[in-house]
Amino acid sequence: MALPTISGNSSGRGICQGRFTISTVLANEDDTHNIYCQTKPTDCQTGPTYCQTEPSHCQTEPTYCQAEPSYSQTELTYCQTEPSSCQTGPTYCQTEPSHCQTEPTYCQAEPSYSQTELTYCQTEPSSCQTEPTYDSLTQSNIFHLRTFGYNTIDAVPSYEHYANTRVPGEEERGRPTLADLRCYIMIRCMLNIWGVILYLRLSWITAQAGIALTWLIIIMSVIVTSITGLSISAISTNGKVKSGGTYFLISRSLGPELGGSIGLIFAFANAVAVSMHTVGFAETVSDLLVDYNATMVDPTNDIRIIGVITVTILLGISLAGMEWEAKAQVGFFFIIMISLANYIVGTIIPASKEKQAKGFFNYRADIFAQNLLPNWRGDDASFFSMFSIFFPSATGILAGANISGDLKDPAISIPKGTLSAIFWTAFSYLVISATIGSCVIRDATGSLNDTIPIGSMDCEGLACGFGWNFTECTQAGTCKYGLSNYYQTMRLVSGFAPLITAGIFGATLSSALACLVSAPKVFQCLCKDNLYPGIGFFGKGYGKNSEPIYSYLLTYATAVGFILIAELNVIAPIISNFFLCSYALINFSCFHASAINSPGWRPSFRYYNKWASLFCAVISVVIMFLLTWWAALIAIGIVGFLLAYALYKKPAANWGSSIQAGSYNMALSYCVGLNEVDDHIKNYRPQCLVLTGPPNFRPALVDFVGTVTKNHSLMVCGNVIIGPHKEKVSEICSSGHIKWLTKRRIKSFHTGVAADDLRSGTQMLMQAVGLGRMKPNILVMGFKRNWQSDHPQNVEHYIGVIYDSFDLNYGVCIMRMKQGLNISRMMRADVDSSIVGFAQQASTIFQLEQGRKTIDIYWLFDDGGLTLLIPYLLTRKKRWRNCKVRVFVGGQMNRMDEERKAMITLLRKFRLGFHEVHVLPDINQKPRPEHLKRFEDLIAHYRLNDGFKDETIVNELRKDCPWKISDEEIKSNKTKSLRQVRLNEILLDYSRDAALIVVTMPVARKDKCPSTLYLAWLETLSQDLRPPVLLIRGNQQNVLTFYCQ
């Protein structure tokens, strides 16, 4: 370890004033030395060697040693020694170090590990500085002397220390043979787009909005669908696409949170679309029954009856498998093509008298001119109401993507088929809108008796020029025919009406069939991902194509429910918002994946633009609100609720989504940005490096620090694994610990290092852990409960970790609990990643509601305010919110009121909410004899007893056993030793029933206080206390300020 650096005044005499940084002086509070000199390690002698088996210091392979019954808190450790390899000295097989960092490890005492000890040999050459004189001490130092009964360079809490604060500038499945054809996707999409809207509502929309606005509606829809088609093509060509269609595309791109919510909505929208197309079919059949006077009940109920029967038949076809469904779709496609050709031929054939009576007059320029502009009829008639009715026809572009799992090569089939379908269907919609608007007038009676001579004066309307008088019905609003009144206008115009009827049947049934297949497939994929509870039942597949029978039945039930509405104009707007929501997320997925520049975004389809995708996503959301604002709010609310649930549950699915990549980019950018600004006291956060070993071995320590740091600061669980790096790679790289932390809902990182001993491993962690400003500044570890029975060299390492922390400008927190922290003996000591992550979660007191107990803070020395900050952060948490905080400070009997008021004033300026302050005037009283006797017995085993030994023998013993305590060290540290005994008595008197005791941890000069004496102080200070004890020492830099800048 590098020698600590000396900071501050290094010339002349070292003056001890105010607070020294710990890296400068590891202050023994009864001494005023602030400078020490150390020789090179080569001057040090070789000490005795040991075969060490305490877990944090063991080396390699196992045999077994029995654990002492008294050490029930810890793991069983192992030792294997070779007598020929071990040097002189006892072999220790220890079993209970509460501070150990690793899971049970193994030790083999090879000569290479047991040759020497590197110790610090410290001299005071002539070049070293002299002691500071007492006449240079300030009045503040004299006050410290009077307060605590002995001289100390540690400063008590004071206003001045803060007033001058500076501001720092899956399995392969069979597929239908027809899916091997690339044109199958185009056929399927065109069939879905050529649905009920084409045959039954496009003519009516043209009458309402006029040809011009109808074209605008079509073009707007085409823009949205075209850009969405490009986005779908890009996403679907960025890797192998499986079943699940739109849900699969969004979820694998944006992640399970958004993908899951849109998957449910899209499956529901497809189920409702089944009802829309089925109602369109039933409406046509009902009109035929009316024409032939064959109604069953009435037109509305006839639609319901026919619709339910039809969707039941379609369900049977779907359950028969994809091959039957695919064959049916191809058949429907040819029927529709013949019907459309029949329609075009019909516009050219001269109109008969019967057709003229119903408003059809072939191509006429004046009819085109009249129908070019809108003629809104009805209270709700508007541009966007027409758009909402038309738009569901455009949703068919996703039909191909929805069956992606049944395609031979979806990455090729989806882009070509989808974009081809969009082009040809858009062209057909534009042609039909223009042609039907040029041939048919808006109102007609259908009566052959309404003919008049051309040029009659008592006739109004465009039909008068063609020899027909529809004035009466037009004015009364009772016309039954014409574009505005007759939904079956395409049958009227066509050359052979039954072919249009067949086309309507083909379009509606094919679209209904496609949606009836798509919805269960999407829902099945969603169910298999286990994102939401209670739906896995519907994901079970049957047969060679894994048909989701239960999902089919659920879709059937949903469709029947909406079929009972029996009104096409009501069902269509409901679907529009859900599909627009899907389109918005598809386009946003494409934009987001492109914008974050993830190396994994490499679509083979290059003809897309991220800004066009973003534009389309925004437009889709805007259109949602323009269509039906309340339906848009419902759709967004459902997405938001499902998103919040997924974020709360945190599904285990990991698909390499763009959200993950974006999070990385943001984290990297912010971390780099933090380096550009200096730290500020107001933004200080306790960033903790916690020496937990395997986190599941010390859950109480993990829970406590996790409570303090949750949602506002960094926590890293460090694991020092003792042994050669090559043999410990699997343990270092284990992911099981992160799984365990995630399952316990602890927001923490985990890192492991392999080292020869605890101290060197901790040094690695403290120097290497962190990224820029995101770097730990506090070391947290458990108290070493077995230090009396452990090998003294391990005690040296433990105390050395504390010294190293101060040297590296870390604060230190040591947690002690009466029952201990290490529970490894109570559980299976597994470190395998497949086991640890799912290990049983042990409960601790820090997971419980603390009620109205107290948090007692003994702020005895000013460490910069960390002793106050940690308890304050605890009180902001729900479990600790009701605890009352009490602050104890040292003081003099004759100045109690003044000191109490001064401390209350200081605490009020800090705005911590701590109002109860107690001054301890009896801190200087002599401890009770029995407690003093217990302390003396505690250190008796480690005394050097050099008063009766030759000086040469004493020096040899000190070199071999640096942990031994000389008579001079006992004498010079007597006052401070008595203070720890007395403080323990005070803690027992005042804080026996507290929820937590927080004490400023004493520090010692490492060249003047042996490790065993220092640990005896910590043992004495915190022993016999029922509540958890937290010893805190900051790095002597302010972490609190009362300034606003």
Side-chain angles (χ1 to χ4, degrees), residues 685-761:
R685 297 168 185 263
Q687 303 185 103
C688 299
L689 171 60
V690 193
L691 300 184
T692 59
N696 57 316
F697 280 11
R698 293 169 181 84
L701 189 62
V702 171
D703 289 340
F704 177 79
V705 181
T707 302
V708 174
T709 61
K710 186 177 183 180
N711 295 329
H712 68 76
S713 60
L714 175 69
M715 176 181 175
V716 180
C717 292
N719 183 8
V720 178
I721 304 170
I722 308 303
H725 179 271
K726 293 182 178 179
E727 299 179 10
K728 303 298 180 180
V729 169
S730 61
E731 297 179 32
I732 296 174
C733 302
S734 173
S735 61
H737 302 307
I738 289 294
K739 295 178 181 178
W740 184 88
L741 290 168
T742 302
K743 185 178 180 181
R744 202 173 182 86
R745 296 183 180 179
I746 299 294
K747 297 185 177 182
S748 172
F749 298 96
H750 175 273
T751 186
V753 295
D756 295 334
D757 54 63
L758 171 65
R759 187 175 185 181
S760 60

Side-chain angles (χ1 to χ4, degrees), residues 268-547:
F268 174 76
N270 272 280
V272 178
V274 175
S275 66
M276 182 188 75
H277 295 294
T278 305
V279 167
F281 170 80
E283 188 178 287
T284 303
V285 177
S286 177
D287 289 343
L288 291 175
L289 293 178
V290 170
D291 291 343
Y292 290 99
N293 272 332
T295 56
M296 294 178 285
V297 182
D298 56 68
T300 300
N301 285 313
D302 285 356
I303 292 175
R304 292 169 178 157
I305 295 171
I306 297 169
V308 172
I309 295 174
T310 303
V311 78
T312 304
I313 296 173
L314 293 177
L315 176 65
I317 296 176
S318 300
L319 294 177
M322 278 294 295
E323 287 199 27
W324 283 97
E325 190 264 349
K327 292 176 180 178
Q329 293 284 28
V330 173
F332 288 143
F333 176 77
F334 285 111
I335 292 174
I336 293 174
M337 293 297 293
I338 293 172
S339 71
L340 292 178
N342 174 54
Y343 163 77
I344 296 298
V345 171
T347 61
I348 302 173
I349 298 175
S352 64
K353 288 293 182 178
E354 291 78 5
K355 290 186 176 182
Q356 290 183 0
K358 296 179 180 180
F360 172 56
F361 297 97
N362 297 106
Y363 293 105
R364 303 287 179 120
D366 46 359
I367 296 180
F368 175 82
Q370 187 185 56
N371 289 337
L372 185 64
L373 300 178
N375 182 23
W376 308 113
R377 299 186 183 184
D379 297 335
D380 299 327
S382 66
F383 175 82
F384 285 104
S385 66
M386 296 300 109
F387 185 92
S388 66
I389 294 174
F390 174 82
F391 191 77
S393 65
T395 60
I397 65 169
L398 300 178
N402 288 338
I403 60 165
S404 55
D406 297 301
L407 302 175
K408 194 74 172 180
D409 193 351
I412 296 178
S413 302
I414 292 177
K416 289 187 175 181
T418 301
L419 295 176
S420 298
I422 291 174
F423 174 80
W424 290 112
T425 54
F427 177 77
S428 64
Y429 272 110
L430 292 172
V431 169
I432 292 174
S433 175
T435 54
I436 205 166
S438 303
C439 298
V440 184
I441 61 175
R442 285 191 169 100
D443 298 292
T445 61
S447 174
L448 294 175
N449 298 324
D450 288 337
T451 57
I452 60 171
I454 298 176
S456 298
M457 300 299 297
D458 57 346
C459 179
E460 296 180 4
L462 190 63
C464 299
F466 306 139
W468 294 88
N469 184 7
F470 303 137
T471 305
E472 183 177 350
C473 80
T474 302
Q475 295 175 347
T478 58
C479 296
K480 294 182 179 180
Y481 295 94
L483 287 178
S484 298
N485 310 292
Y486 189 48
Y487 291 144
Q488 302 281 353
T489 302
M490 285 190 67
R491 292 181 67 237
L492 171 67
V493 175
S494 66
F496 185 61
L499 286 179
I500 295 297
T501 301
I504 295 174
F505 288 174
T508 55
L509 293 178
S510 64
S511 297
L513 188 58
C515 292
L516 187 58
V517 171
S518 298
K521 292 287 186 180
V522 172
F523 195 59
Q524 180 188 33
C525 185
L526 176 64
C527 295
K528 286 184 176 181
D529 287 336
N530 294 319
L531 301 182
Y532 304 106
I535 63 174
F537 171 77
F538 296 100
K540 187 175 181 181
Y542 297 88
K544 67 176 183 178
N545 287 329
S546 187
E547 298 294 342

Side-chain angles (χ1 to χ4, degrees), residues 526-589:
L526 176 64
C527 295
K528 286 184 176 181
D529 287 336
N530 294 319
L531 301 182
Y532 304 106
I535 63 174
F537 171 77
F538 296 100
K540 187 175 181 181
Y542 297 88
K544 67 176 183 178
N545 287 329
S546 187
E547 298 294 342
I549 304 299
Y550 298 113
S551 293
Y552 275 113
L553 296 177
L554 180 62
T555 303
Y556 171 78
T558 304
V560 168
F562 281 88
I563 286 173
L564 297 180
I565 297 176
E567 180 54 58
L568 190 62
N569 292 353
V570 174
I571 299 174
I574 297 175
I575 302 173
S576 295
N577 272 284
F578 290 108
F579 277 116
L580 278 168
C581 189
S582 302
Y583 286 4
L585 282 176
I586 289 174
N587 285 288
F588 181 75
S589 300

